[in-house]
Amino acid sequence: MKTIDELLADGVTGKRVFVRADLNVPLAGDTITDDGRIRAVLPTIAKLAEAGARVIVASHLGRPKGAPDPAFSLAPAAKRLGELLGADVAFATDTVGSSATETVAALADGQVAVIENLRFNAGETSKDDAERGAFADQLAELADVYVGDGFGAVHRKHASVVDLPARLPHAAGYLIATEVGVLKKLTAEVKRPYVVVLGGAKVSDKLAVIDQLLGKADRILIGGGMAYTFLYAKGHEVGISLLQKDQVDVVKEYMARAEKLGVELVLPVDILASADFPDLKGKAPAEFITVDADKIPADKEGLDIGPKTRELYASKIADAETVFWNGPLGVFEHPDYAGGTRAVAQALVDSSAFTVVGGGDSAAAVRTLGFDENAFGHISTGGGASLEYLEGKTLPGLAALEV
């Protein structure tokens, strides 16, 4: 995989460099609520601009239906990028139309432009190779060189991720190089004890990674909505908690394998339970009870791990040499149910281990709860991509950069 430093050594002054970034930031209207993904790609963009490249930044945002949708415009991201760079950033109101062509043509050496959401064109996400290829051909006309730095999208077989680098000289940006280096430390170069913390809503989203980690991790701590399927599989009442009954047999098999392999699979011992899901907009005070994990009332749902579990999980993290965390431990968006997620984040901060926060909601939780990002070994920008890498899958976007 060619690095951006090798690309810079070859010289990029005056060249049009297409940077496939991940600017898929959360928005409240036109307001960016977490700019972490924009800041993550800054080193690549800034270095190219400093070297005299004419930088064209492209990304997806959300899931528009292959046509322009103002709700998913990259305009707020382009504005924020300019603020962080401390320089004007031009914005094209289309992807491969007249605005993009004119905006790129107007760039001088060292200047940066953002083109509109790639997913406004159906060719970006098409499963038809010819349709994706046709869109990639149009994108290729905008540039001389391709730099892949959108780690959050490398597990997608999309035109700008897979087909475009096949049409241009290409290299990996700093973010992708960093992410891959970190993931190697979680797979091929692991320091032990290796502790994995998995949360989030659905156990089905994590089964494949659990399957792989059962042969690699020393301890797996389970929380979030997915925990209730594990508790149910142990024969416990889970009330109206989130439950995937169709996954119970698989979970039972995984628990049996963990015991056979000597992997410590740790489940919550107490739960915050309520009859009502919390108000996440007004954030009115929640009414809940704390119960043992095997005694959740039939009319209540679990919404966070309890205080005993928080202490237990912190103790299981304390002596680790490597920790990977993906998924919140409760409904962290509400302050009354953020305690479990906060406790795990604090345990990572207090640990001397190499700690990795696996993107997505986990990364958002760290920032929302006010933790210093520098207190963690690494905060990934791609939750889905990280998980698929740990599952042992080939990521199309990485494979495209290695050709």
Side-chain angles (χ1 to χ4, degrees):
M1 188 183 294
K2 188 173 184 177
T3 68
I4 189 170
D5 286 331
E6 291 174 297
L7 179 67
L8 291 165
D10 292 340
V12 294
T13 302
K15 291 184 178 180
R16 301 169 301 164
V17 180
F18 188 104
V19 178
R20 196 348 176 148
D22 179 9
L23 308 181
N24 186 28
V25 292
L27 293 171
D30 292 334
T31 302
I32 296 171
T33 57
D34 181 357
D35 67 358
R37 284 176 170 164
I38 302 175
R39 286 185 286 110
V41 77
L42 276 180
T44 292
I45 295 171
K47 193 74 172 181
L48 287 166
E50 288 170 9
R54 303 178 182 191
V55 186
I56 305 141
V57 182
S59 176
H60 69 286
L61 192 154
R63 296 180 182 274
K65 306 298 184 181
D69 183 338
F72 297 107
S73 175
L74 279 174
K79 179 182 178 183
R80 181 60 180 150
L81 176 61
E83 293 170 350
L84 292 169
L85 286 173
D88 291 336
V89 169
F91 180 66
T93 57
D94 57 26
T95 54
V96 291
S98 60
S99 180
T101 301
E102 293 167 7
T103 300
V104 171
L107 288 175
D109 294 357
Q111 291 187 330
V112 179
V114 174
I115 62 174
E116 187 53 284
N117 192 337
L118 292 164
R119 291 184 182 175
F120 284 1
N121 189 303
E124 170 67 1
T125 59
S126 176
K127 293 182 180 180
D128 181 81
D129 291 348
E131 186 176 8
R132 278 200 330 276
F135 182 48
D137 286 339
Q138 291 178 291
L139 290 172
E141 292 178 7
L142 296 173
D144 305 304
V145 180
Y146 176 94
V147 170
D149 216 25
F151 181 74
V154 293
H155 58 315
R156 306 295 188 192
K157 190 178 179 181
H158 291 169
S160 66
V161 177
V162 173
D163 302 275
L164 184 56
R167 288 157 168 77
L168 294 171
H170 50 267
Y174 292 123
L175 175 60
I176 279 186
T178 298
E179 295 272 12
V180 171
V182 166
L183 288 168
K184 285 181 178 177
K185 291 183 179 180
L186 299 178
T187 51
E189 306 162 6
V190 182
K191 292 185 178 180
R192 299 183 179 280
Y194 179 19
V195 178
V196 175
V197 185
L198 295 176
K202 294 182 178 181
V203 69
S204 57
D205 292 341
K206 305 289 167 68
L207 286 178
V209 74
I210 294 172
D211 182 51
Q212 288 292 316
L213 290 170
L214 282 175
K216 297 183 176 71
D218 298 298
R219 299 177 199 134
I220 301 176
L221 317 182
I222 303 292
M226 62 183 286
Y228 304 105
T229 301
F230 279 86
L231 292 171
Y232 187 88
K234 289 194 71 173
H236 299 326
E237 169 66 59
V238 297
I240 56 173
S241 304
L242 187 62
L243 172 64
Q244 290 186 281
K245 284 189 176 181
D246 61 329
Q247 304 296 337
V248 169
D249 288 343
V250 179
V251 166
K252 285 181 178 179
E253 192 267 325
Y254 282 4
M255 289 193 293
R257 273 178 57 201
E259 186 174 1
K260 184 177 180 180
L261 291 167
V263 177
E264 197 176 354
L265 189 62
V266 188
L267 301 179
V269 295
D270 61 344
I271 295 292
L272 302 190
S274 175
D276 301 302
F277 195 82
D279 170 18
L280 298 183
K281 290 187 177 180
K283 292 185 171 59
E287 293 184 7
F288 61 87
I289 58 173
T290 303
V291 297
D292 290 343
D294 60 351
K295 295 183 175 63
I296 301 173
D299 65 341
K300 289 182 171 54
E301 64 178 321
L303 295 168
D304 194 11
I305 58 172
K308 293 179 183 177
T309 306
R310 297 169 196 174
E311 291 183 10
L312 172 65
Y313 284 13
S315 72
K316 297 294 183 182
I317 292 168
D319 68 341
E321 288 293 327
T322 304
V323 184
F324 173 70
W325 168 34
N326 181 279
L329 282 295
V331 186
F332 76 92
E333 297 91 343
H334 192 285
D336 291 335
Y337 299 117
T341 302
R342 184 186 298 279
V344 165
Q346 187 63 55
L348 265 67
V349 170
D350 295 340
S351 171
S352 60
F354 176 63
T355 56
V356 179
V357 180
D361 288 340
S362 312
V366 163
R367 298 182 184 108
T368 299
L369 297 176
F371 285 91
D372 180 359
E373 294 178 49
N374 295 321
F376 302 89
H378 179 69
I379 297 180
S380 178
T381 58
S386 296
L387 288 178
E388 290 199 17
Y389 189 101
L390 294 179
E391 289 167 17
K393 292 182 178 179
T394 296
L395 304 187
L398 296 185
L401 294 174
E402 290 169 351
V403 177

